[in-house]
């Protein structure tokens, strides 16, 4: 039994869980994982049993419980500095934090109209009010990061950072809803999809049997 444990939702649907899970994987540590099925009659009860917020993910480490995605990621930065989840250089780190927090806290139209569903494709759907602008903004962030830091590796800031974890759900959504993006964004999405953590998550998600109809 590992001293660190995570409570997550279905891998096919829980975008918040994906973010923390990828960050944990990047730390190259063993951890226990509990998955709670979403949208069940007893889901809320089980969630509240793990955290009074009633949300996932939840990280448990010794006597500490952390129930908010970015707080978990920042805690991992502190206890596993070798993982380098933030870039070393101050200016680059500030940029990384800015785009990560922008993604985490905003882009509501994308969440409202394009729910994450790894197993199914919905080409042409999900184009609700404000979605076009959000897609353009995300692609612009990816392109700017690649322009400034692409020489250091395939991800937004070269190596894997919290930014990769935070932007992983849009990568999955863009594939689900068949969003047509530029070559730079397409290359970035491929790099994320091909990383071992994302491949492992997708394989498990595709094996799940519960179906939640969001579209």
């Amino acid at each position: 039994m590992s001293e660190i444990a995570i409570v997550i939702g279905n891998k096919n649907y829980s975008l918040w869980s994906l973010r923390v899970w990828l960050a944990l994987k990047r730390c190259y540590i063993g951890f226990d994982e509990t998955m709670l099925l979403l949208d069940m009659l007893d889901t809320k009860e089980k969630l509240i049993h793990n955290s009074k917020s009633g949300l996932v993910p939840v990280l448990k480490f010794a006597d500490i419980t952390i129930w908010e995605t970015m707080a978990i990621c920042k805690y991992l930065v502190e206890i596993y500095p070798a993982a380098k989840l933030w870039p070393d250089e101050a200016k680059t780190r500030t940029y990384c934090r800015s785009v990560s927090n922008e993604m985490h806290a905003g882009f509501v139209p994308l969440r409202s109209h394009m729910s994450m569903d790894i197993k199914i494709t919905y080409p042409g759907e999900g184009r609700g009010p404000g979605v076009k602008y959000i897609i353009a903004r995300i692609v612009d962030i990816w392109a700017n990061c690649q322009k400034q830091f692409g020489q250091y590796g395939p991800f937004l800031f070269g190596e894997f950072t919290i930014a990769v974890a935070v932007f992983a759900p849009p990568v999955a959504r863009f594939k689900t809803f068949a969003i047509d993006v530029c070559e730079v964004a397409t290359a970035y999405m491929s790099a994320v999809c091909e990383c071992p953590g994302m491949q492992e998550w997708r394989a498990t998600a595709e094996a799940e049997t519960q179906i939640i109809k969001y579209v």
Side-chain angles (χ1 to χ4, degrees):
M1 183 175 181
S2 175
E3 65 176 347
I4 190 165
I6 184 175
V7 181
I8 62 174
N10 308 50
K11 288 185 176 177
N12 191 44
Y13 301 111
S14 183
L15 60 98
W16 302 103
S17 299
L18 170 59
R19 289 168 170 156
V20 167
W21 191 91
L22 286 175
L24 268 172
K25 279 289 181 178
R26 181 61 181 178
C27 294
Y28 300 108
I29 56 172
F31 58 92
D32 294 327
E33 177 183 317
T34 299
M35 190 185 78
L36 301 180
L37 294 179
L38 303 175
D39 204 34
M40 304 291 285
L41 292 176
D42 61 349
T43 297
K44 196 67 176 181
E45 179 183 351
K46 289 181 178 179
L47 289 172
I48 292 175
H49 175 74
N50 286 279
S51 168
K52 290 184 179 180
S53 70
L55 302 171
V56 287
V58 179
L59 184 79
K60 299 180 180 182
F61 185 86
D63 61 343
I64 298 174
T65 298
I66 311 173
W67 60 91
E68 197 277 331
T69 301
M70 288 303 287
I72 294 172
C73 289
K74 291 172 183 177
Y75 184 66
L76 293 176
V77 171
E78 295 175 359
I79 62 175
Y80 299 109
K84 297 185 180 297
L85 291 173
W86 288 134
D88 287 332
E89 197 274 323
K91 183 178 179 179
T92 306
R93 186 168 60 250
T94 299
Y95 198 106
C96 184
R97 286 173 172 168
S98 295
V99 298
S100 297
N101 282 304
E102 181 180 359
M103 179 68 248
H104 175 71
F107 301 166
V108 174
L110 190 71
R111 305 187 213 281
S112 300
H113 299 287
M114 290 187 174
S115 299
M116 191 172 82
D117 189 334
I118 289 174
K119 296 172 65 174
I120 299 176
T121 57
Y122 300 106
E125 298 190 45
R127 274 65 165 179
V131 170
K132 183 178 180 180
Y133 168 79
I134 297 301
I135 291 171
R137 174 57 185 150
I138 290 173
V139 170
D140 183 62
I141 289 173
W142 292 350
N144 283 330
C145 288
Q146 288 288 295
K147 182 178 180 180
Q148 295 185 62
F149 312 105
Q151 68 271 30
Y152 303 117
F155 299 119
L156 297 182
F157 295 88
E159 296 297 321
F160 190 104
T161 63
I162 287 174
V164 179
V166 170
F167 280 96
V171 169
R173 284 173 162 134
F174 285 10
K175 291 181 70 67
T176 295
F177 290 89
I179 304 300
D180 186 24
V181 295
C182 65
E183 289 185 11
V184 171
T186 299
Y188 174 69
M189 290 172 60
S190 295
V192 173
C193 291
E194 290 168 7
C195 76
M198 195 67 174
Q199 288 186 338
E200 183 179 345
W201 179 278
R202 174 175 288 276
T204 309
E206 290 177 345
E208 292 176 357
T209 57
Q210 185 188 18
I211 297 175
I212 303 174
K213 187 68 173 177
Y214 286 125
V215 176

